[in-house]
Amino acid sequence: MKWAVLATWKMSENGNRIASQILAENRKASEAILHGISDVEDNPSFHSVGYGGRPDTNCRVILDGGYMDGDTLHFGAVGAIEGFRSPIHIAYSLREGDANNFLVGQGAEEYASKHHFEKRDNLTEEMIVLYEQEKEKRKQLSAYDGHDTVCFLAKDSFNSICAGTSTSGLFMKEKGRLGDTPVVGNGFYADSKTGAAAATGMGEEIMKGCLSYAAVMYMKIGMPVQEAADKALLQLHQELIERNGYANPMSLIVLDKEGNFGVSTNIDFTFTYGSDEQSTENYIAKLQNGKTVITKLTE
Ligand code: GLY
């Protein structure tokens, strides 16, 4: 394949089409990822990313994002930032250099202000109402139904592969909590010689298996992309059930260096995929009898 884009959740459909168009014009994977993720960050009807994201225990929308360049292995990430339009753009800007690639909290916000990244109050009226309704009820953190982190993986016609992520994290998370999304190797990983992976779901669970790196590592030692995805995620799922009696929701998207995709999950998980060989389509993955079963969505 000349190019391919794989992204988490049905909410990425429009962003995937935008990213695909960029790659079809022989532009770079990095550009495709930035535009694809921004489309989700800007849409207030998606309640787990950017504008309209679900708030934390203090009714504040706190964002994380990560980016990795598979040619250089350079990465950039921001964690626990408030008041900016696009965590993925800030993360991308941090990828160069040998130090200061992962900034969090006040330091990340000062960096973003200094470099004139666009500010935005991401808390919407709809989310204030939700917060007021739920604050008394919600005793325990849970990866809520429907949507979670937006992750994009892209391969361009120059054979470069990149990964990007953006999220508002868990609804009602504690102040200072970071999930997997901005943590390289956990929420995302890219290596143009092998492929890329990114994760969505309960960050604390994903980090127990360094899930994105695990999938890329399995491909590096020769596993086909779907096998690598299932080996990384389902092995962790099984380990957690054996040790703790349960495993929280996790899903993993994986792209090999040819542009083929693999997906693994322990829930019902939607995702989008497009390439020079097929236009963007929506899929659903489900765990059935110890294997991930993937079906194209028709509507
Ligand atoms: N996967 C997003 C989070 O746990 O924050």
Side-chain angles (χ1 to χ4, degrees), residues 64 143 148-149 167-170 173 177-182 199-204 206-207:
D64 307 322
D148 191 81
T149 304
T167 192
S168 52
L170 290 187
K173 65 188 175 184
R177 182 254 183 201
L178 278 180
D180 59 304
T181 301
T200 172
M202 189 77 169
E204 287 77 356
I206 290 162
M207 290 190 279

Side-chain angles (χ1 to χ4, degrees), residues 1-5 16-17 19-27 154-159 255 258-259 273-280:
M1 255 161 281
K2 273 171 68 182
W3 58 263
V5 192
N16 192 315
R17 290 189 198 286
S20 292
Q21 184 57 39
I22 288 170
L23 295 172
E25 291 166 9
N26 287 327
R27 286 149 67 192
K155 168 198 165 348
D156 62 25
S157 47
F158 314 102
N159 291 323
L255 196 68
E258 317 298 343
Y273 175 76
S275 77
D276 58 300
E277 295 180 1
Q278 67 160 80
S279 58
T280 300

Side-chain angles (χ1 to χ4, degrees), residues 175-227:
K175 185 175 182 184
R177 182 254 183 201
L178 278 180
D180 59 304
T181 301
V183 185
V184 65
N186 291 276
F188 62 100
Y189 196 82
D191 176 350
S192 301
K193 289 185 182 173
T194 307
T200 172
M202 189 77 169
E204 287 77 356
E205 217 73 317
I206 290 162
M207 290 190 279
K208 289 168 189 153
C210 300
L211 213 43
S212 294
Y213 182 72
V216 174
M217 190 266 292
Y218 287 130
M219 286 196 290
K220 209 177 183 119
I221 61 169
M223 272 187 201
V225 62
Q226 182 58 41
E227 215 178 296

Side-chain angles (χ1 to χ4, degrees), residues 114-131:
K114 194 170 139 199
H115 291 85
H116 309 292
F117 282 95
E118 193 176 331
K119 295 195 172 168
R120 176 168 64 196
D121 179 359
N122 289 300
L123 184 64
T124 58
E125 281 302 319
E126 190 186 355
M127 289 301 105
I128 294 171
V129 171
L130 178 77
Y131 175 86

Side-chain angles (χ1 to χ4, degrees), residues 72-90:
T72 59
L73 305 183
H74 285 164
F75 72 92
V78 285
I81 60 164
E82 186 179 18
F84 287 91
R85 178 177 172 188
S86 178
I88 187 61
H89 277 87
I90 307 170

